[in-house]
Amino acid sequence: MRLKVLSCGLVGHACMAAWPLAVLAQQPAPTDSAPTVSELTANEIIVTARRRDETLQTTPVAVTALQPSMLEAKATMNIGDLQGAAPNVLITQQPTGASTANIAIRGIAFADVEKSFDPAVGVNVDGVYIGTSTGQFLDFFDIESIEILRGPQGTLFGRNTIAGVINIRRTRPTGEWGAKLEASYGSYDTIGLRGVLNIPLVEDVLAVKLFEFHQQTDGYMRDAFTRERLGRNNSENFGATFLLTPTDNFEAILTLEEQDQRFDSYFGSLMQTGDVFCSFVPAEACNRNKTDDIYEVFRAIDSRGKYRAKAATLEMSLDTDPLRFDSVSSYRESKERQIFDLGEPGLYIADRDQKYHQFSQEFRASGQLTDTFDFVSGLYYFVSKYRLYQETTVFGAFAGAQDTRGKSESYAAFLDMNWEFAPQLRLSGGGRFTHDKKAYRNPFLYSGAAKESWSKFTPKVTLDYRPNDDMMVYGTWSRGYRSGGFNGRGLTVYSASTPYDPETVDSYELGLKSTFLDRAVSLNIAGFYTDYKDIQQSSTITLAGGQGNETIVTNAAGAKIKGIEADLTVQPIDDLTFRASVGYTDASFRGFLVEQPVTLADASIITRVFDFSKVNPIFAPKWTLSLNGEYVVRLEGETTLTFTAGYRYLSPYDQQIAPDPSLYPGLLADPNGTSVVPVPRNDPRVRSDPQNLLDLSVSLAFPVGNGKSRGRLTGFVRNVLDDRGPSFAFTVATFPPLWAYATPREPRVFGVQLGFEY
């Protein structure tokens, strides 16, 4: 039996059980000949990691398939809660943008909110690529499947997927009357109200799913003086999905949705003696620790933001057997404005107003032409435009405005094939040709527009061997590509009009997928080596006159990344499941040279070349570990009690390329020298602490009324150990440093949820 990864939302019987039971809950009642729970192990999960339905254990890709019940049982709310759920995967929220995620996989990341920059990890929702980091921090209610693909996925998912892909699918309209409702309350006056209503409009022809998600919180930061709670967030996500099935071989799915968010964005101070701004802030705002202190804010103004995004997605498929044709069309637009007190308190205030829209169209043809050969091919088009207008105030005085406008276009054609050329031996491969064009304008700096284009072919070759039904070994070589572009925050004519080039990776991977002990145990292992070239590295530097700073991207480095990762699932008895994953990454730069201006003690300006080859790459923890357990107690009738526990460990990692200020005297000992200055490490302030995150929950699921409806009551605790520290840390400028700030991660949180499904 092959089963899709199924969703139960945050309500219903499936959410209360271990994940194999969540799958069973969607199936007819078992008969004497039906498979037992222990037979329905991970190798029966269907994934779409290669744009075709395949079992997890026969897909030659390092992919983690996360059943929604695994996350919902611990009250997972958004994509950030995936952090630690898969090996070598890191997800944090970028505080200077609305619903913005910083995502790293296998030591490859790009952390910036600007829409002129492309993310390194592709986030796909219902087959649609989200073109910026803004909007990637998604709500996790009403999800059908989540797949985390590790390693470059350029052949099928396109450019800007050099680190991997997070592939998310939401549930389809059922065509039957039904509803899922949930209310929750937790620490910091966090309230959630969520609902999905399924309605059959025309029996077997037209159905609709209506959804509404509301989330609000008072936040877990405080004003250092008034003790007022800070960090408020109010988010609404609503829409409708229509399913049209006029014939047996054609269907169309149209989703219309909108997200409205109003939020505060406050930062804890990481300023220290030696930072320029430290001389102008209250004494207690400097030299603070990175644990409890960063939960306090020295506020001068209300830092606030608003974000509105609308989207329409149309998916159509026609099955002509043996060929299938798919079309995915999508339009997304967003408007946002944020006013940030970045310098604390009131020394550097940015008022940012942005507009963005994207359109994408993909056509695919696929088919099983023979018993041993299948393929997926397609054409893809993507276009986006954005405008950013920003005004900046420094020390209470107007310090200038920025008006940047950008356009990006991408065309691609791709082909991916499987050929079983001998018993148990399969050769897979293909490639994608991509052509990118970008244009950039900054009328405050220069007239006209800067333009550039790039083209790249990204191939992939995989050989896998299946000696029996319970084992597969594979080897893969693939190439990934991330488009070049322009610096959206360049403040000089040169930096704003000079493009940076694409970056590429060549990835080599060996993997093993196996099940044993009557499929009660599954173990997947992958080892990888990545040659990372022309890395697009973001740096915040002091301007060449010493007046202000700018954030620019340069192709400054290459890197070698190697590592290993493993996923283990053990089900010793029907109602008990253990899961574990571990990842190890060893990443190091090579040839990372940066030329930048330096302000000396006598206020003179010189230019030096710095060698950052010895510093740590950003968002690349050496170790990630997760341990999870679920146990189901069956009570009277169909009532169940489910206990879950999950532990995640993340070793320290750097969040920015920024020289350690304590080394400045040594680095600049020879101000007139011309030799390259070595930088041995990053600023300790941008280094995270080790994270030990423990989550617990208990859920009672019970029938309601005639038994066709289900109720659920869940109590949960996230971050039981109250492990505190920075979720995001940043220093502004170097030589000299101006200031530094951080946002804290979620502290210990208690909550309760009440759900109902019929």
Side-chain angles (χ1 to χ4, degrees), residues 24 41 71 95 100 226 290 422 526 545:
L24 281 176
T41 53
L71 302 171
T100 301
T226 68
K290 292 197 300 182

Side-chain angles (χ1 to χ4, degrees), residues 277-397:
F277 279 22
C278 204
S279 302
F280 301 93
V281 299
E284 55 268 40
C286 284
N287 302 310
R288 299 172 68 78
N289 65 47
K290 292 197 300 182
T291 53
D292 293 331
D293 286 352
I294 60 174
Y295 291 78
E296 292 187 343
V297 178
F298 293 85
R299 178 178 55 160
I301 67 167
D302 288 333
S303 290
R304 60 189 183 274
K306 57 183 179 180
Y307 172 74
R308 172 173 290 182
K310 299 179 181 180
T313 301
L314 175 62
E315 302 175 81
M316 296 185 291
S317 63
L318 175 66
D319 191 347
T320 62
D321 193 18
L323 297 180
R324 175 187 171 101
F325 300 94
D326 292 275
S327 170
V328 182
S329 311
S330 178
Y331 175 80
R332 304 176 66 90
E333 68 176 27
S334 64
K335 297 179 181 179
E336 55 189 293
R337 185 183 179 192
Q338 291 96 37
I339 301 175
F340 296 127
D341 180 4
L342 291 168
E344 257 196 296
L347 301 185
Y348 189 99
I349 298 173
D351 186 345
R352 295 164 55 85
D353 195 344
Q354 297 186 82
K355 296 180 180 179
Y356 171 84
H357 70 258
Q358 71 172 62
F359 171 79
S360 63
Q361 174 63 57
E362 183 171 73
F363 296 108
R364 292 194 304 271
S366 59
Q368 181 87 33
L369 300 185
T370 71
D371 290 341
T372 59
F373 183 86
D374 67 83
F375 77 97
V376 177
S377 63
L379 299 172
Y380 180 75
Y381 174 72
F382 175 91
V383 62
S384 68
K385 293 182 179 181
Y386 80 94
R387 181 181 181 182
L388 164 66
Y389 181 81
Q390 175 174 321
E391 293 184 351
T392 304
T393 302
V394 180
F395 291 92

